[in-house]
Amino acid sequence: NSGGKKAYKGSSKLKASQTYTPQFAAFTARMLPFLTDSKFKQKLPAVDESKPFIQIFEEMGWGDVWDDALLRHVVRYVRGSSSLCIPEEWRPLIPTAL
C-alpha cells in the first residue's frame, strides 16, 4: 500500500473495509489441508433447534475445545468487559474461569 505495508485486498465483491495481511493468508494456506481433508473433520453433535438458544448454550461444555478454538480470550472479554451489556439471565452461563 502507499504506507509500504504489504497487504492483500479482496475484489470489489468483498467489503472495502476487509483487508487481509500476508500472515493471515499464510496461516489460511497452511490450514487448508486440515479444512478440506475429511479425516480431520470432526462430527459435530446434533443440536436440537427446537430448544431455546439459551438452553443450548447452557448445555455446551466448557472443556478444552475453547482452547482448541483459541476462544479463551473471547470468554474472558465477555465476562470481564464493563462496557458489554450481558442480559442478566445469560451472566451465570458464562464461566468466571476456564
Side-chain angles (χ1 to χ4, degrees):
N1 64 17
S2 60
K5 185 176 180 181
K6 287 176 68 176
Y8 170 79
K9 187 170 182 174
S11 70
S12 61
K13 293 182 181 179
L14 186 64
K15 289 191 289 181
S17 64
Q18 294 180 326
T19 302
Y20 299 102
T21 65
Q23 294 86 356
F24 177 81
F27 178 80
T28 303
R30 284 194 311 272
M31 291 303 298
L32 191 59
F34 297 102
L35 298 172
T36 57
D37 191 330
S38 62
K39 71 180 177 183
F40 292 107
K41 291 182 182 174
Q42 293 181 354
K43 184 171 180 167
L44 298 175
V47 174
D48 182 355
E49 294 180 16
S50 67
K51 293 180 183 179
F53 184 70
I54 192 168
Q55 184 179 352
I56 294 169
F57 188 82
E58 185 176 23
E59 293 171 356
M60 286 186 344
W62 289 101
D64 64 351
V65 294
W66 291 88
D67 282 331
D68 293 346
L70 304 175
L71 289 173
R72 182 181 292 259
H73 65 283
V74 174
V75 175
R76 281 192 188 123
Y77 170 77
V78 167
R79 188 62 184 186
S81 175
S82 60
S83 60
L84 192 61
C85 297
I86 300 171
E88 220 31 65
E89 64 270 17
W90 283 85
R91 188 164 290 283
L93 304 181
I94 301 168
T96 56
L98 283 179

Coordinates of all heavy atoms in Angstrom, one line a residue:
N1 N 0.8 -1.2 0.0 CA 0.0 0.0 0.0 C 0.9 1.3 0.0 O 2.1 1.2 0.0 CB -1.0 0.0 1.2 CG -0.3 0.0 2.5 OD1 0.8 0.4 2.7 ND2 -1.1 -0.4 3.5
S2 N 0.3 2.4 0.1 CA 1.0 3.6 0.0 C 1.9 3.9 1.2 O 2.9 4.6 1.1 CB 0.1 4.8 -0.2 OG -0.8 4.9 1.0
G3 N 1.6 3.2 2.3 CA 2.5 3.3 3.5 C 3.6 2.3 3.5 O 4.3 2.3 4.5
G4 N 3.7 1.5 2.5 CA 4.8 0.5 2.5 C 4.4 -0.8 3.1 O 5.3 -1.7 3.2
K5 N 3.2 -1.0 3.6 CA 2.8 -2.2 4.3 C 2.3 -3.2 3.3 O 1.4 -2.8 2.5 CB 1.8 -1.9 5.4 CG 1.4 -3.1 6.2 CD 0.4 -2.6 7.3 CE 0.0 -3.8 8.1 NZ -1.0 -3.5 9.2
K6 N 2.7 -4.5 3.4 CA 2.2 -5.5 2.5 C 0.9 -6.0 3.0 O 0.7 -6.3 4.1 CB 3.2 -6.7 2.4 CG 4.5 -6.4 1.6 CD 5.4 -7.5 1.7 CE 4.9 -8.7 0.9 NZ 5.8 -9.8 0.8
A7 N -0.1 -6.0 2.1 CA -1.4 -6.4 2.4 C -2.1 -6.9 1.2 O -1.8 -6.6 0.1 CB -2.2 -5.3 3.1
Y8 N -3.1 -7.8 1.4 CA -4.0 -8.3 0.3 C -5.3 -7.7 0.5 O -5.9 -7.7 1.6 CB -4.1 -9.8 0.4 CG -5.1 -10.3 -0.6 CD1 -4.8 -10.4 -1.9 CD2 -6.4 -10.7 -0.2 CE1 -5.8 -10.9 -2.8 CE2 -7.3 -11.1 -1.0 CZ -7.0 -11.2 -2.4 OH -8.0 -11.7 -3.2
K9 N -5.9 -7.1 -0.6 CA -7.2 -6.6 -0.5 C -8.0 -7.4 -1.5 O -7.6 -7.6 -2.7 CB -7.2 -5.1 -0.9 CG -8.5 -4.4 -0.7 CD -8.4 -2.9 -0.9 CE -9.8 -2.3 -0.6 NZ -9.7 -0.9 -0.6
G10 N -9.2 -7.8 -1.1 CA -10.1 -8.6 -2.0 C -10.7 -7.8 -3.1 O -10.4 -6.6 -3.3
S11 N -11.4 -8.5 -3.9 CA -12.0 -7.9 -5.1 C -13.1 -6.9 -4.7 O -13.4 -6.8 -3.5 CB -12.6 -9.0 -6.0 OG -13.8 -9.6 -5.4
S12 N -13.8 -6.3 -5.7 CA -14.8 -5.3 -5.4 C -16.0 -6.0 -4.7 O -16.9 -5.3 -4.2 CB -15.2 -4.6 -6.6 OG -15.7 -5.5 -7.6
K13 N -16.1 -7.3 -4.8 CA -17.2 -8.0 -4.2 C -17.0 -8.2 -2.7 O -17.9 -8.5 -2.0 CB -17.4 -9.4 -4.8 CG -17.8 -9.3 -6.3 CD -18.0 -10.7 -6.9 CE -18.5 -10.6 -8.3 NZ -18.7 -11.9 -8.9
L14 N -15.8 -8.0 -2.2 CA -15.5 -8.0 -0.8 C -15.7 -6.6 -0.2 O -15.3 -5.6 -0.9 CB -14.1 -8.5 -0.6 CG -13.6 -8.8 0.8 CD1 -14.4 -9.9 1.5 CD2 -12.1 -9.2 0.8
K15 N -16.2 -6.5 1.0 CA -16.4 -5.2 1.6 C -15.0 -4.5 1.6 O -14.0 -5.1 1.9 CB -16.9 -5.3 3.0 CG -18.4 -5.7 3.0 CD -18.9 -5.6 4.4 CE -18.3 -6.6 5.3 NZ -18.9 -6.6 6.7
A16 N -15.0 -3.2 1.3 CA -13.8 -2.5 1.2 C -13.0 -2.4 2.5 O -11.8 -2.2 2.6 CB -14.1 -1.1 0.7
S17 N -13.8 -2.6 3.6 CA -13.1 -2.5 4.9 C -12.3 -3.7 5.3 O -11.6 -3.7 6.3 CB -14.2 -2.2 6.0 OG -15.0 -3.3 6.1
Q18 N -12.5 -4.8 4.5 CA -11.8 -6.0 4.9 C -10.5 -6.2 4.1 O -10.5 -6.4 2.9 CB -12.7 -7.2 4.6 CG -13.9 -7.2 5.5 CD -14.8 -8.4 5.2 OE1 -14.9 -8.8 4.0 NE2 -15.4 -8.9 6.2
T19 N -9.4 -6.0 4.8 CA -8.1 -6.2 4.2 C -7.4 -7.3 5.0 O -7.4 -7.3 6.2 CB -7.3 -4.8 4.4 OG1 -8.0 -3.8 3.7 CG2 -5.9 -5.0 3.7
Y20 N -6.7 -8.2 4.3 CA -6.1 -9.3 4.9 C -4.6 -9.2 4.8 O -4.0 -8.8 3.8 CB -6.5 -10.6 4.3 CG -8.0 -10.8 4.4 CD1 -8.9 -10.5 3.4 CD2 -8.6 -11.2 5.7 CE1 -10.3 -10.7 3.5 CE2 -9.9 -11.3 5.8 CZ -10.8 -11.1 4.8 OH -12.1 -11.2 4.9
T21 N -3.9 -9.5 5.9 CA -2.4 -9.4 6.0 C -1.8 -10.6 5.3 O -2.4 -11.7 5.2 CB -1.9 -9.3 7.4 OG1 -2.3 -10.5 8.1 CG2 -2.6 -8.1 8.1
P22 N -0.5 -10.5 5.0 CA 0.2 -11.7 4.4 C 0.2 -12.8 5.5 O 0.2 -14.0 5.1 CB 1.6 -11.2 4.1 CG 1.4 -9.7 3.9 CD 0.3 -9.3 4.8
Q23 N 0.3 -12.5 6.8 CA 0.3 -13.5 7.8 C -1.0 -14.3 7.8 O -1.0 -15.5 8.0 CB 0.6 -12.9 9.2 CG 2.0 -12.2 9.3 CD 2.0 -10.8 8.8 OE1 1.0 -10.2 8.3 NE2 3.2 -10.2 9.0
F24 N -2.1 -13.6 7.7 CA -3.4 -14.2 7.7 C -3.5 -15.2 6.5 O -3.9 -16.3 6.6 CB -4.5 -13.2 7.6 CG -5.9 -13.9 7.5 CD1 -6.5 -14.3 8.7 CD2 -6.5 -14.0 6.3 CE1 -7.8 -14.9 8.6 CE2 -7.8 -14.6 6.2 CZ -8.4 -15.0 7.4
A25 N -3.0 -14.7 5.3 CA -3.1 -15.5 4.1 C -2.2 -16.8 4.3 O -2.6 -17.9 3.9 CB -2.6 -14.7 2.9
A26 N -1.0 -16.6 4.8 CA -0.1 -17.7 5.0 C -0.7 -18.8 6.0 O -0.6 -20.0 5.8 CB 1.3 -17.3 5.6
F27 N -1.3 -18.3 7.1 CA -2.0 -19.2 8.0 C -3.1 -19.9 7.4 O -3.2 -21.1 7.6 CB -2.5 -18.4 9.3 CG -3.2 -19.2 10.3 CD1 -2.5 -20.0 11.2 CD2 -4.6 -19.3 10.3 CE1 -3.1 -20.8 12.1 CE2 -5.2 -20.0 11.2 CZ -4.5 -20.8 12.1
T28 N -3.9 -19.2 6.6 CA -5.0 -19.8 5.9 C -4.5 -20.9 5.0 O -5.1 -22.0 4.9 CB -5.9 -18.8 5.2 OG1 -6.3 -17.8 6.2 CG2 -7.1 -19.4 4.5
A29 N -3.5 -20.6 4.2 CA -2.9 -21.6 3.3 C -2.4 -22.8 4.0 O -2.6 -24.0 3.6 CB -1.8 -20.9 2.5
R30 N -1.8 -22.6 5.2 CA -1.3 -23.8 6.0 C -2.5 -24.6 6.5 O -2.3 -25.8 6.7 CB -0.4 -23.3 7.1 CG 1.0 -22.9 6.8 CD 1.9 -22.8 7.9 NE 1.4 -22.0 9.1 CZ 1.5 -20.7 9.2 NH1 2.1 -19.9 8.3 NH2 0.9 -20.1 10.3
M31 N -3.6 -24.0 6.8 CA -4.7 -24.7 7.4 C -5.6 -25.4 6.3 O -6.4 -26.3 6.7 CB -5.6 -23.7 8.2 CG -5.0 -23.2 9.4 SD -4.5 -24.5 10.6 CE -6.0 -25.2 11.0
L32 N -5.5 -25.0 5.1 CA -6.3 -25.5 4.0 C -6.4 -27.1 4.0 O -7.4 -27.6 3.9 CB -5.9 -25.0 2.7 CG -6.9 -25.2 1.5 CD1 -8.2 -24.6 1.9 CD2 -6.3 -24.6 0.2
P33 N -5.2 -27.8 4.1 CA -5.3 -29.2 4.1 C -6.2 -29.8 5.2 O -6.9 -30.8 5.1 CB -3.9 -29.7 4.2 CG -3.1 -28.6 3.8 CD -3.8 -27.3 4.1
F34 N -6.1 -29.2 6.4 CA -6.9 -29.6 7.5 C -8.4 -29.3 7.3 O -9.3 -30.0 7.8 CB -6.4 -29.0 8.8 CG -5.0 -29.3 9.2 CD1 -4.0 -28.4 8.9 CD2 -4.7 -30.5 9.7 CE1 -2.7 -28.8 9.2 CE2 -3.4 -30.9 10.1 CZ -2.4 -30.0 9.8
L35 N -8.7 -28.3 6.6 CA -10.1 -27.9 6.4 C -10.8 -28.7 5.3 O -12.0 -28.8 5.2 CB -10.2 -26.4 6.0 CG -9.7 -25.4 7.1 CD1 -9.6 -24.0 6.6 CD2 -10.5 -25.5 8.3
T36 N -10.0 -29.2 4.4 CA -10.5 -30.0 3.2 C -10.4 -31.5 3.3 O -11.1 -32.2 2.6 CB -9.9 -29.5 1.9 OG1 -8.5 -29.7 2.0 CG2 -10.2 -28.0 1.7
D37 N -9.5 -32.0 4.2 CA -9.3 -33.4 4.3 C -10.4 -34.0 5.3 O -10.4 -33.6 6.4 CB -7.9 -33.7 4.8 CG -7.6 -35.2 4.7 OD1 -8.5 -36.0 4.8 OD2 -6.4 -35.5 4.6
S38 N -11.2 -35.0 4.8 CA -12.2 -35.5 5.6 C -11.8 -36.2 6.9 O -12.5 -36.3 7.9 CB -13.1 -36.4 4.8 OG -12.3 -37.6 4.3
K39 N -10.5 -36.7 6.9 CA -10.1 -37.4 8.1 C -9.9 -36.4 9.3 O -9.8 -36.8 10.4 CB -8.8 -38.2 7.8 CG -7.6 -37.4 7.6 CD -6.4 -38.3 7.4 CE -5.1 -37.5 7.1 NZ -4.0 -38.4 6.8
F40 N -9.8 -35.1 9.0 CA -9.6 -34.1 10.0 C -10.9 -33.5 10.5 O -10.9 -32.8 11.4 CB -8.6 -33.0 9.5 CG -7.2 -33.5 9.4 CD1 -6.7 -33.6 8.1 CD2 -6.4 -33.8 10.5 CE1 -5.4 -34.1 8.0 CE2 -5.1 -34.2 10.3 CZ -4.6 -34.3 9.1
K41 N -12.0 -33.8 9.7 CA -13.2 -33.2 10.1 C -13.8 -34.0 11.3 O -13.8 -35.2 11.3 CB -14.2 -33.3 8.9 CG -13.8 -32.3 7.8 CD -14.8 -32.4 6.7 CE -14.3 -31.5 5.6 NZ -15.2 -31.5 4.4
Q42 N -14.3 -33.2 12.2 CA -15.0 -33.8 13.4 C -16.5 -33.9 13.1 O -17.0 -32.9 12.5 CB -14.7 -33.0 14.7 CG -13.3 -33.1 15.1 CD -13.1 -32.3 16.4 OE1 -14.0 -31.6 16.9 NE2 -11.9 -32.3 16.9
K43 N -17.1 -34.9 13.6 CA -18.5 -34.9 13.5 C -19.1 -34.1 14.6 O -18.8 -34.3 15.8 CB -19.1 -36.4 13.6 CG -20.5 -36.4 13.4 CD -21.0 -37.8 13.3 CE -22.5 -37.8 13.1 NZ -23.1 -39.0 12.7
L44 N -19.8 -33.1 14.3 CA -20.4 -32.2 15.3 C -21.7 -32.8 15.9 O -22.4 -33.5 15.2 CB -20.8 -30.8 14.6 CG -19.6 -30.1 14.1 CD1 -20.2 -28.8 13.3 CD2 -18.6 -29.7 15.1
P45 N -21.9 -32.6 17.2 CA -23.1 -33.2 17.8 C -24.3 -32.5 17.2 O -24.3 -31.3 16.9 CB -22.9 -32.8 19.3 CG -21.9 -31.7 19.3 CD -21.0 -31.8 18.1
A46 N -25.3 -33.3 17.2 CA -26.6 -32.8 16.7 C -27.2 -31.8 17.7 O -27.0 -32.0 18.9 CB -27.6 -33.9 16.5
V47 N -27.7 -30.7 17.3 CA -28.3 -29.7 18.1 C -29.8 -29.7 17.9 O -30.3 -29.7 16.8 CB -27.7 -28.3 17.8 CG1 -28.4 -27.2 18.6 CG2 -26.3 -28.3 18.0
D48 N -30.5 -29.8 19.0 CA -32.0 -29.7 19.0 C -32.4 -28.3 18.8 O -32.5 -27.5 19.8 CB -32.6 -30.3 20.3 CG -34.1 -30.4 20.3 OD1 -34.7 -29.8 19.3 OD2 -34.7 -30.9 21.2
E49 N -32.7 -27.9 17.6 CA -33.0 -26.5 17.3 C -34.4 -26.1 17.8 O -34.7 -24.9 17.7 CB -32.9 -26.2 15.8 CG -31.4 -26.4 15.3 CD -31.3 -26.1 13.8 OE1 -32.2 -25.6 13.2 OE2 -30.2 -26.5 13.3
S50 N -35.2 -27.0 18.3 CA -36.4 -26.6 18.9 C -36.3 -26.0 20.3 O -37.2 -25.4 20.8 CB -37.4 -27.8 19.0 OG -36.9 -28.8 19.9
K51 N -35.1 -26.2 20.9 CA -34.8 -25.7 22.2 C -34.5 -24.2 22.1 O -33.9 -23.8 21.1 CB -33.6 -26.4 22.9 CG -33.8 -27.8 23.2 CD -32.5 -28.4 23.8 CE -32.7 -29.8 24.2 NZ -31.4 -30.3 24.8
P52 N -34.7 -23.4 23.1 CA -34.3 -22.0 23.1 C -32.8 -22.0 23.1 O -32.1 -22.8 23.7 CB -34.8 -21.4 24.4 CG -35.8 -22.4 24.9 CD -35.5 -23.8 24.3
F53 N -32.2 -21.0 22.4 CA -30.8 -20.9 22.3 C -30.1 -20.8 23.6 O -29.0 -21.4 23.8 CB -30.4 -19.7 21.4 CG -28.9 -19.6 21.2 CD1 -28.3 -20.5 20.4 CD2 -28.1 -18.7 21.8 CE1 -26.9 -20.5 20.2 CE2 -26.7 -18.6 21.6 CZ -26.1 -19.5 20.8
I54 N -30.6 -20.1 24.6 CA -30.0 -20.0 25.9 C -29.9 -21.4 26.5 O -28.9 -21.7 27.2 CB -30.8 -19.1 26.8 CG1 -29.9 -18.7 28.1 CG2 -32.1 -19.6 27.2 CD1 -30.5 -17.6 28.9
Q55 N -30.8 -22.3 26.3 CA -30.7 -23.7 26.8 C -29.6 -24.5 26.1 O -28.8 -25.2 26.7 CB -32.0 -24.4 26.7 CG -32.0 -25.8 27.3 CD -33.4 -26.5 27.2 OE1 -34.4 -25.9 26.7 NE2 -33.4 -27.7 27.5
I56 N -29.5 -24.3 24.8 CA -28.4 -25.0 24.0 C -27.1 -24.5 24.5 O -26.2 -25.3 24.7 CB -28.6 -24.7 22.5 CG1 -29.9 -25.3 22.0 CG2 -27.4 -25.2 21.7 CD1 -30.3 -24.9 20.6
F57 N -26.9 -23.2 24.7 CA -25.7 -22.6 25.2 C -25.4 -23.1 26.6 O -24.2 -23.5 26.9 CB -25.8 -21.1 25.2 CG -24.5 -20.4 25.5 CD1 -23.6 -20.1 24.5 CD2 -24.3 -19.9 26.8 CE1 -22.4 -19.5 24.8 CE2 -23.1 -19.3 27.1 CZ -22.2 -19.0 26.1
E58 N -26.4 -23.2 27.4 CA -26.2 -23.7 28.8 C -25.7 -25.2 28.8 O -24.9 -25.6 29.7 CB -27.5 -23.6 29.6 CG -27.3 -24.0 31.0 CD -28.6 -23.7 31.8 OE1 -29.7 -23.7 31.2 OE2 -28.6 -23.6 33.0
E59 N -26.1 -26.0 27.8 CA -25.8 -27.4 27.8 C -24.4 -27.6 27.2 O -23.9 -28.8 27.2 CB -26.9 -28.2 27.0 CG -28.2 -28.2 27.8 CD -29.3 -28.8 26.9 OE1 -29.1 -29.1 25.7 OE2 -30.4 -28.9 27.5
M60 N -23.8 -26.6 26.6 CA -22.5 -26.8 26.0 C -21.4 -27.0 27.1 O -21.6 -26.5 28.2 CB -22.1 -25.5 25.2 CG -22.7 -25.3 23.9 SD -22.1 -23.9 23.0 CE -21.2 -22.9 24.1
G61 N -20.4 -27.7 26.7 CA -19.3 -27.9 27.7 C -18.3 -26.8 27.6 O -18.2 -26.1 26.6
W62 N -17.6 -26.6 28.6 CA -16.5 -25.6 28.7 C -15.1 -26.2 28.7 O -14.2 -25.7 29.3 CB -16.7 -24.6 29.9 CG -17.9 -23.7 29.7 CD1 -19.1 -23.9 30.2 CD2 -18.0 -22.6 28.8 NE1 -20.0 -22.9 29.8 CE2 -19.3 -22.1 28.9 CE3 -17.1 -21.9 28.0 CZ2 -19.7 -20.9 28.3 CZ3 -17.5 -20.8 27.4 CH2 -18.8 -20.3 27.5
G63 N -15.0 -27.4 28.1 CA -13.7 -28.1 28.1 C -12.7 -27.4 27.2 O -12.7 -26.3 26.9
D64 N -11.7 -28.3 26.8 CA -10.6 -27.7 26.1 C -10.9 -27.3 24.7 O -10.1 -26.8 24.0 CB -9.4 -28.7 26.1 CG -9.8 -30.0 25.4 OD1 -10.9 -30.3 25.0 OD2 -8.8 -30.9 25.2
V65 N -12.1 -27.6 24.2 CA -12.5 -27.1 22.9 C -12.4 -25.6 22.7 O -12.1 -25.1 21.7 CB -13.9 -27.6 22.4 CG1 -14.0 -29.1 22.3 CG2 -15.0 -27.1 23.4
W66 N -12.6 -24.9 23.8 CA -12.4 -23.4 23.8 C -11.0 -23.0 23.6 O -10.7 -22.1 22.9 CB -13.0 -22.8 25.1 CG -14.5 -23.0 25.1 CD1 -15.2 -24.0 25.6 CD2 -15.4 -22.1 24.6 NE1 -16.5 -23.8 25.4 CE2 -16.7 -22.6 24.8 CE3 -15.3 -20.8 24.0 CZ2 -17.9 -22.0 24.4 CZ3 -16.5 -20.2 23.6 CH2 -17.7 -20.8 23.8
D67 N -10.0 -23.8 24.2 CA -8.6 -23.6 23.9 C -8.3 -24.0 22.5 O -7.5 -23.3 21.8 CB -7.8 -24.4 24.9 CG -7.7 -23.8 26.3 OD1 -7.8 -22.5 26.4 OD2 -7.5 -24.5 27.2
D68 N -8.8 -25.1 22.1 CA -8.5 -25.6 20.7 C -9.0 -24.5 19.7 O -8.4 -24.3 18.6 CB -9.2 -26.9 20.4 CG -8.6 -28.0 21.2 OD1 -7.6 -27.9 21.8 OD2 -9.3 -29.1 21.3
A69 N -10.1 -23.9 19.9 CA -10.6 -22.9 19.0 C -10.1 -21.5 19.3 O -10.4 -20.5 18.6 CB -12.2 -22.8 19.2
L70 N -9.1 -21.4 20.2 CA -8.5 -20.1 20.6 C -9.5 -19.1 21.0 O -9.4 -17.9 20.6 CB -7.6 -19.6 19.4 CG -6.6 -20.6 18.9 CD1 -5.9 -20.0 17.7 CD2 -5.5 -20.9 20.0
L71 N -10.5 -19.5 21.8 CA -11.5 -18.6 22.2 C -11.5 -18.2 23.7 O -12.4 -17.5 24.2 CB -12.9 -19.2 21.9 CG -13.2 -19.2 20.4 CD1 -14.5 -20.0 20.1 CD2 -13.3 -17.8 19.8
R72 N -10.5 -18.7 24.4 CA -10.4 -18.4 25.8 C -10.4 -16.9 26.1 O -11.1 -16.4 27.0 CB -9.2 -19.0 26.4 CG -9.0 -18.8 27.9 CD -7.7 -19.4 28.5 NE -7.8 -20.8 28.4 CZ -8.0 -21.6 29.5 NH1 -8.3 -21.1 30.6 NH2 -8.1 -22.9 29.3
H73 N -9.7 -16.1 25.3 CA -9.6 -14.7 25.4 C -11.0 -14.0 25.2 O -11.3 -13.0 25.7 CB -8.5 -14.1 24.6 CG -8.8 -14.2 23.1 ND1 -8.6 -15.4 22.4 CD2 -9.2 -13.3 22.2 CE1 -8.9 -15.2 21.1 NE2 -9.3 -14.0 21.0
V74 N -11.8 -14.6 24.3 CA -13.1 -14.1 24.0 C -14.0 -14.2 25.2 O -14.7 -13.3 25.6 CB -13.7 -14.8 22.8 CG1 -15.2 -14.3 22.6 CG2 -12.9 -14.5 21.5
V75 N -13.9 -15.4 25.9 CA -14.7 -15.6 27.1 C -14.3 -14.7 28.2 O -15.1 -14.1 28.9 CB -14.6 -17.1 27.5 CG1 -15.4 -17.3 28.9 CG2 -15.2 -18.0 26.5
R76 N -13.0 -14.5 28.3 CA -12.5 -13.5 29.3 C -13.0 -12.1 29.0 O -13.4 -11.4 30.0 CB -11.0 -13.5 29.3 CG -10.4 -14.6 30.1 CD -8.9 -14.4 30.3 NE -8.3 -15.6 30.8 CZ -7.3 -16.2 30.3 NH1 -6.7 -15.7 29.2 NH2 -6.8 -17.3 30.9
Y77 N -13.0 -11.7 27.8 CA -13.5 -10.4 27.4 C -15.0 -10.3 27.7 O -15.5 -9.3 28.4 CB -13.3 -10.1 25.9 CG -14.0 -8.9 25.5 CD1 -13.5 -7.6 25.8 CD2 -15.2 -8.9 24.8 CE1 -14.2 -6.4 25.4 CE2 -15.9 -7.8 24.4 CZ -15.4 -6.6 24.7 OH -16.0 -5.4 24.4
V78 N -15.8 -11.3 27.3 CA -17.2 -11.3 27.5 C -17.6 -11.2 29.0 O -18.4 -10.4 29.4 CB -17.9 -12.5 26.9 CG1 -19.3 -12.7 27.3 CG2 -17.9 -12.4 25.4
R79 N -16.8 -11.9 29.8 CA -17.1 -12.0 31.3 C -16.6 -10.7 31.9 O -17.2 -10.2 32.9 CB -16.4 -13.2 31.9 CG -16.7 -13.4 33.3 CD -18.2 -13.7 33.5 NE -18.5 -13.8 34.9 CZ -19.7 -14.1 35.3 NH1 -20.7 -14.4 34.5 NH2 -19.9 -14.2 36.6
G80 N -15.5 -10.1 31.5 CA -14.8 -9.0 32.2 C -15.1 -7.6 31.7 O -14.8 -6.7 32.4
S81 N -15.7 -7.5 30.5 CA -15.9 -6.2 29.9 C -16.9 -5.4 30.7 O -18.0 -5.9 31.0 CB -16.4 -6.3 28.5 OG -16.7 -5.1 28.0
S82 N -16.6 -4.2 31.1 CA -17.5 -3.3 31.8 C -18.4 -2.6 30.8 O -19.4 -2.0 31.2 CB -16.8 -2.3 32.7 OG -15.9 -1.5 31.9
S83 N -18.1 -2.6 29.5 CA -18.9 -1.9 28.5 C -19.8 -2.8 27.8 O -20.6 -2.3 27.0 CB -18.0 -1.1 27.5 OG -17.1 -2.0 26.9
L84 N -19.7 -4.1 28.0 CA -20.6 -5.0 27.4 C -21.8 -5.3 28.2 O -21.7 -5.6 29.4 CB -19.8 -6.3 27.1 CG -20.4 -7.4 26.2 CD1 -20.6 -6.8 24.8 CD2 -19.6 -8.6 26.1
C85 N -23.0 -5.2 27.7 CA -24.2 -5.4 28.5 C -24.8 -6.8 28.2 O -25.4 -7.1 27.2 CB -25.3 -4.4 28.1 SG -24.8 -2.7 28.4
I86 N -24.5 -7.7 29.2 CA -24.9 -9.1 29.1 C -26.2 -9.2 29.8 O -26.4 -8.8 30.9 CB -23.9 -10.1 29.7 CG1 -22.6 -10.0 29.0 CG2 -24.4 -11.5 29.7 CD1 -21.5 -10.7 29.7
P87 N -27.3 -9.7 29.1 CA -28.6 -9.9 29.8 C -28.4 -10.7 31.1 O -27.6 -11.7 31.1 CB -29.4 -10.6 28.8 CG -28.8 -10.3 27.5 CD -27.3 -10.2 27.7
E88 N -29.1 -10.4 32.1 CA -28.9 -11.0 33.4 C -29.1 -12.5 33.4 O -28.4 -13.2 34.1 CB -29.9 -10.3 34.4 CG -29.5 -10.1 35.8 CD -28.0 -9.7 36.0 OE1 -27.5 -8.7 35.5 OE2 -27.3 -10.5 36.7
E89 N -30.0 -13.0 32.6 CA -30.2 -14.4 32.5 C -29.0 -15.2 31.9 O -28.9 -16.4 32.0 CB -31.5 -14.8 31.8 CG -31.6 -14.4 30.3 CD -32.2 -13.0 30.1 OE1 -32.2 -12.2 31.0 OE2 -32.5 -12.7 28.9
W90 N -28.2 -14.5 31.1 CA -27.0 -15.1 30.5 C -25.8 -15.1 31.4 O -24.9 -15.9 31.2 CB -26.7 -14.4 29.1 CG -27.6 -14.7 28.0 CD1 -28.9 -14.2 27.8 CD2 -27.4 -15.8 27.1 NE1 -29.4 -14.8 26.7 CE2 -28.5 -15.8 26.2 CE3 -26.4 -16.6 26.8 CZ2 -28.7 -16.7 25.2 CZ3 -26.5 -17.5 25.8 CH2 -27.6 -17.5 24.9
R91 N -25.7 -14.1 32.2 CA -24.5 -13.9 33.0 C -24.0 -15.2 33.8 O -22.9 -15.6 33.7 CB -24.6 -12.8 34.0 CG -23.4 -12.4 34.7 CD -23.4 -11.1 35.4 NE -23.4 -10.0 34.4 CZ -22.4 -9.5 33.8 NH1 -21.2 -10.1 34.0 NH2 -22.5 -8.5 33.0
P92 N -24.9 -16.0 34.4 CA -24.5 -17.2 35.1 C -24.0 -18.3 34.2 O -23.3 -19.2 34.6 CB -25.7 -17.7 35.9 CG -26.7 -16.6 35.8 CD -26.3 -15.7 34.7
L93 N -24.3 -18.2 32.9 CA -23.9 -19.2 31.9 C -22.4 -19.0 31.5 O -21.9 -19.9 30.9 CB -24.8 -19.2 30.7 CG -26.3 -19.4 31.0 CD1 -27.1 -19.4 29.8 CD2 -26.5 -20.7 31.8
I94 N -21.9 -17.8 31.7 CA -20.5 -17.6 31.2 C -19.6 -17.8 32.4 O -19.7 -17.2 33.4 CB -20.4 -16.1 30.7 CG1 -21.4 -15.9 29.6 CG2 -19.0 -15.8 30.2 CD1 -21.6 -14.5 29.2
P95 N -18.6 -18.7 32.2 CA -17.8 -19.1 33.3 C -16.9 -17.9 33.8 O -16.5 -17.0 33.0 CB -16.9 -20.2 32.8 CG -16.9 -20.0 31.3 CD -18.2 -19.4 31.0
T96 N -16.6 -17.9 35.1 CA -15.7 -16.9 35.7 C -14.3 -17.3 35.5 O -13.4 -16.5 35.6 CB -16.0 -16.6 37.2 OG1 -15.9 -17.9 37.8 CG2 -17.4 -16.1 37.4
A97 N -14.0 -18.6 35.2 CA -12.7 -19.0 35.0 C -12.8 -20.2 34.0 O -13.7 -21.0 34.1 CB -12.0 -19.4 36.3
L98 N -11.8 -20.4 33.2 CA -11.7 -21.5 32.3 C -10.4 -22.3 32.6 O -9.4 -21.7 32.9 CB -11.7 -21.1 30.8 CG -13.0 -20.7 30.2 CD1 -12.8 -20.3 28.8 CD2 -14.0 -21.9 30.3

